[in-house]
Amino acid sequence: MYWMKRTKIISFRLPLIVCLLTCGLLYCFSYLIESSFEKFSIQQNVSELNSVISSIERELIYFSPNDNRDELFQNILLILTGHHHLFVYIIDESGKILYRTRGPNLAVALKPANLEKIIAQHGTTISNLNKSSYRIAASRVIVENNKQYTTIVAVGRDLQLEFISRLRSGLGLLIAISCVLALIGSFISIYFTQKPINRLIKKIERINLKSLNYRIPTSSVPTKYISLVRAFNKMLTRMEDVFQRQRNFTADIAHEMRTPITNLTTQTQIVLNSARSTEEYREILYSNLEEYEKMSQMISDMLFLAQADNHQLVPNLIDIDLFNMLTMMCDYFEPLTDEKNITLNLEGNCSHIQGDKLMLGRAISNILSNAIRYTPQNEVITITLSQTSEKRVKIVIANPGKKIASRHLPHLFDRFYRVDESRHRNGNDTSGAGIGLAIVKSIIQTHKGTISVESDDKSTRFIINLPTAI
Ligand SMILES: Nc1ncnc2c1ncn2[C@@H]1O[C@H](COP(=O)(O)OP(=O)(O)OP(=O)(O)O)[C@@H](O)[C@H]1O
Ligand SMILES: [Mg+2]
């Protein structure tokens, strides 16, 4: 649910981000165009105004009040030829108009203070008159007899302003259309990218406990998702394996518990069928006790494994002399080995390690009891101790006997796994429940070590690697 919601949010968020980015980029672009055009038109206006003013001033310098004004006007008209929307206003020191073009009254457009400022700074100003906008420049020239002429020149900005406003609305429209297109484009591309994923999701959603054997065909997905599908299929295989083992595990527990209970029930029924002597009752109770002990052992083994699964096994770490410990264990197994005339040969040495003595003892005795069980009479079991590095030690327990087929080796440490698949037990059956090696593995893992097994025609070898300190 959460994932679906998230996907929806992402599929909306992405087009929005694309749209905003497009919008932002185009806005910056438009701003750049508009401001460049504005700068360009200001420069153009200013240079036009300055050129006209300096040409007029040149004429005024050579103009004497006694001269014919017509000639001056002719020359000014010549100067103004080719300039559109340009207005000139020339006044003398008394404010009398010497010359003016038709158009706005520039003397009204400029306040005296403003006029003086422009003259002093050689600048320009913008003035709005009769709904029209003008850029105005002014200059003053002193001619003979201390006569002063002030030239005010204005150029109309209306066309430029209109162009800028059209440019602005055109660019605005372009931004709007681009944003909508970007939005639609990203929605379409997301839809097509999402489509195979949605199909994949539907297939995955259909997988349940009963169809764990289903594998998604890689041919049905686009190339870029093939590795994802392969990884998912591999995960399914692992899950199927775990579920299968879980099912077997439950069935195995039930089976292992049922056998002693059936034995106990049958025996009790037989005993109750007729009167028995005290000696007979004692014998039967001893036999029952054996079954009770087996069940109790199995339950405590299961509890141990459950604790290991929940990471509740906390080793009681002490300094252990492995050679010493193994020597004691060999002595402990002597009665068993003597029965089959088997020799336990302990070789090599290593430094002390830190570990839980009880747990490690249990692990090694499980391996040794298996080894003794599967070693033919009059043979030798070898235990080799070695220091593989400063911080690691190795214990190899090798026993001669029938080779374990390689297909069994990866499962040997699984719970209830036995090479002999027949679960039929009779009084002569010496094999156990198949959890001894699972316990060994848990103990070694709790000690941050590793365990592996090798088997060939000569021997079966259990190899334990342990760190000297956890
Ligand atoms: N040294 C060995 N040589 C040959 N086969 C072995 C050896 N050790 C273990 N196996 C095989 O591995 C299986 C699993 O061993 P494991 O110790 O887990 O169970 P078990 O001995 O059958 O029962 P349990 O230890 O619970 O009493 C055994 O049933 C046996 O088939
Ligand atoms: Mg065993």
Side-chain angles (χ1 to χ4, degrees):
M1 256 336 248
Y2 168 75
W3 192 83
M4 292 278 278
K5 242 187 209 170
R6 217 181 133 69
T7 319
K8 268 184 191 161
I9 290 170
I10 289 171
S11 53
F12 274 105
R13 204 166 51 184
L14 212 68
L16 270 178
I17 292 172
V18 174
C19 176
L20 283 176
L21 278 176
T22 319
C23 194
L25 267 172
L26 283 175
Y27 179 78
C28 294
F29 181 65
S30 323
Y31 177 79
L32 219 72
I33 292 182
E34 205 183 297
S35 61
S36 318
F37 180 77
E38 242 177 60
K39 261 186 208 160
F40 172 74
S41 36
I42 291 171
Q43 271 172 6
Q44 213 184 20
N45 283 351
V46 170
S47 77
E48 189 178 13
L49 290 173
N50 286 342
S51 116
V52 168
I53 281 184
S54 52
S55 302
I56 292 175
E57 274 184 343
R58 225 175 296 132
E59 293 300 325
L60 287 172
I61 286 168
Y62 297 114
F63 173 70
S64 160
N66 306 324
D67 286 352
N68 186 358
R69 285 186 178 198
D70 289 343
E71 199 183 331
L72 175 74
F73 296 162
Q74 280 293 325
N75 288 343
I76 291 175
L77 269 176
L78 271 175
I79 290 169
L80 296 181
T81 317
H83 294 281
H84 299 286
H85 301 283
L86 203 86
F87 308 96
V88 179
Y89 207 85
I90 306 172
I91 47 174
D92 64 13
E93 68 280 355
S94 60
K96 223 169 98 189
I97 298 169
L98 176 70
Y99 177 84
R100 71 167 283 190
T101 50
R102 227 183 285 158
N105 187 344
L106 299 179
V108 179
L110 277 181
K111 285 182 187 148
N114 210 356
L115 176 69
E116 293 308 318
K117 200 174 152 194
I118 299 171
I119 293 169
Q121 291 176 354
H122 299 286
T124 63
T125 186
I126 288 172
S127 183
N128 296 319
L129 210 71
N130 303 334
K131 293 179 185 166
S132 294
S133 179
Y134 302 94
R135 182 168 290 278
I136 303 173
S139 169
R140 185 167 291 146
V141 67
I142 302 169
V143 294
E144 62 185 51
N145 300 334
N146 254 354
K147 260 207 141 346
Q148 279 185 19
Y149 291 113
T150 305
T151 313
I152 306 169
V153 186
V155 63
R157 295 172 69 233
D158 290 350
L159 275 176
Q160 285 166 6
L161 290 180
E162 198 185 319
F163 181 79
I164 288 175
S165 119
R166 278 193 192 171
L167 185 73
R168 194 172 290 159
S169 43
L171 288 173
L173 194 71
L174 182 80
I175 292 175
I177 293 172
S178 309
C179 283
V180 173
L181 288 180
L183 206 66
I184 296 171
S186 13
F187 267 123
I188 291 174
S189 82
I190 283 179
Y191 172 75
F192 282 110
T193 323
Q194 197 72 33
K195 215 173 159 185
I197 293 194
N198 286 342
R199 275 204 304 263
L200 202 63
I201 290 171
K202 274 187 190 145
K203 278 182 189 159
I204 291 172
E205 275 174 349
R206 279 201 292 267
I207 299 173
N208 55 32
L209 259 182
K210 284 180 193 155
S211 54
L212 269 182
N213 58 348
Y214 174 75
R215 299 289 174 271
I216 298 169
T218 44
S219 54
S220 66
V221 290
T223 327
K224 58 182 169 181
Y225 297 126
I226 286 182
S227 48
L228 174 81
V229 168
R230 278 199 189 126
F232 184 79
N233 283 344
K234 275 187 193 163
M235 189 190 78
L236 277 181
T237 310
R238 286 197 298 274
M239 276 174 68
E240 195 187 0
D241 187 46
V242 170
F243 272 99
Q244 190 54 45
R245 272 195 280 158
Q246 192 69 40
R247 275 186 212 124
N248 293 349
F249 182 61
T250 320
D252 288 340
I253 291 182
H255 183 88
E256 291 301 327
M257 298 297 274
R258 200 181 57 186
T259 313
I261 288 174
T262 314
N263 288 350
L264 286 168
T265 318
T266 322
Q267 260 175 5
T268 314
Q269 279 168 350
I270 293 168
V271 172
L272 288 176
N273 269 349
S274 53
R276 309 274 167 179
S277 67
T278 319
E279 199 49 42
E280 276 174 325
Y281 279 125
R282 189 189 297 273
E283 222 171 86
I284 287 155
L285 282 175
Y286 269 125
S287 150
N288 284 0
L289 186 64
E290 220 174 275
E291 295 294 343
Y292 287 132
E293 276 170 353
K294 266 188 200 168
M295 279 205 292
S296 152
Q297 180 59 43
M298 198 164 58
I299 290 167
S300 73
D301 283 351
M302 297 313 303
L303 278 175
F304 186 88
L305 287 173
Q307 273 182 319
D309 286 347
N310 296 326
H311 306 286
Q312 285 170 346
L313 279 189
V314 186
N316 177 21
L317 299 178
I318 54 162
D319 206 53
I320 302 173
D321 179 347
L322 268 182
F323 190 85
N324 199 14
M325 187 179 125
L326 287 167
T327 313
M328 276 160 63
M329 295 191 72
C330 290
D331 292 344
Y332 173 78
F333 279 104
E334 222 176 70
L336 261 181
T337 50
D338 282 352
E339 258 179 42
K340 292 174 82 176
N341 197 23
I342 290 171
T343 314
L344 282 175
N345 197 2
L346 179 59
E347 292 174 355
N349 213 332
C350 69
S351 62
H352 289 208
I353 66 156
Q354 270 199 333
D356 187 312
K357 206 170 180 178
L358 274 179
M359 282 196 206
L360 287 177
R362 187 173 181 182
I364 289 165
S365 72
N366 276 357
I367 299 176
L368 276 179
S369 66
N370 282 348
I372 295 167
R373 188 186 296 154
Y374 295 103
T375 301
Q377 287 196 341
N378 311 321
E379 292 281 1
V380 181
I381 297 172
T382 316
I383 308 165
T384 316
L385 260 178
S386 57
Q387 185 91 31
T388 49
S389 73
E390 203 190 318
K391 290 185 174 171
R392 290 197 88 82
V393 295
K394 188 159 105 172
I395 311 166
V396 182
I397 300 171
N399 70 280
K402 216 174 122 194
K403 176 188 171 182
I404 305 174
S406 53
R407 70 193 149 92
H408 294 298
L409 293 179
H411 304 289
L412 229 54
F413 299 98
D414 290 353
R415 287 157 206 198
F416 294 113
Y417 192 86
R418 292 188 308 199
V419 174
D420 171 21
E421 279 161 19
S422 138
R423 294 209 156 268
H424 177 73
R425 302 262 196 111
N426 52 43
N428 304 326
D429 186 13
T430 51
S431 66
I435 44 178
L437 286 179
I439 287 175
V440 172
K441 194 177 178 184
S442 296
I443 291 173
I444 300 300
Q445 281 177 342
T446 306
H447 282 78
K448 302 212 164 42
T450 57
I451 181 161
S452 59
V453 58
E454 293 169 355
S455 189
D456 52 34
D457 292 326
K458 279 189 190 157
S459 65
T460 295
R461 296 169 297 280
F462 284 88
I463 303 146
I464 300 172
N465 262 294
L466 282 171
T468 46
I470 299 176

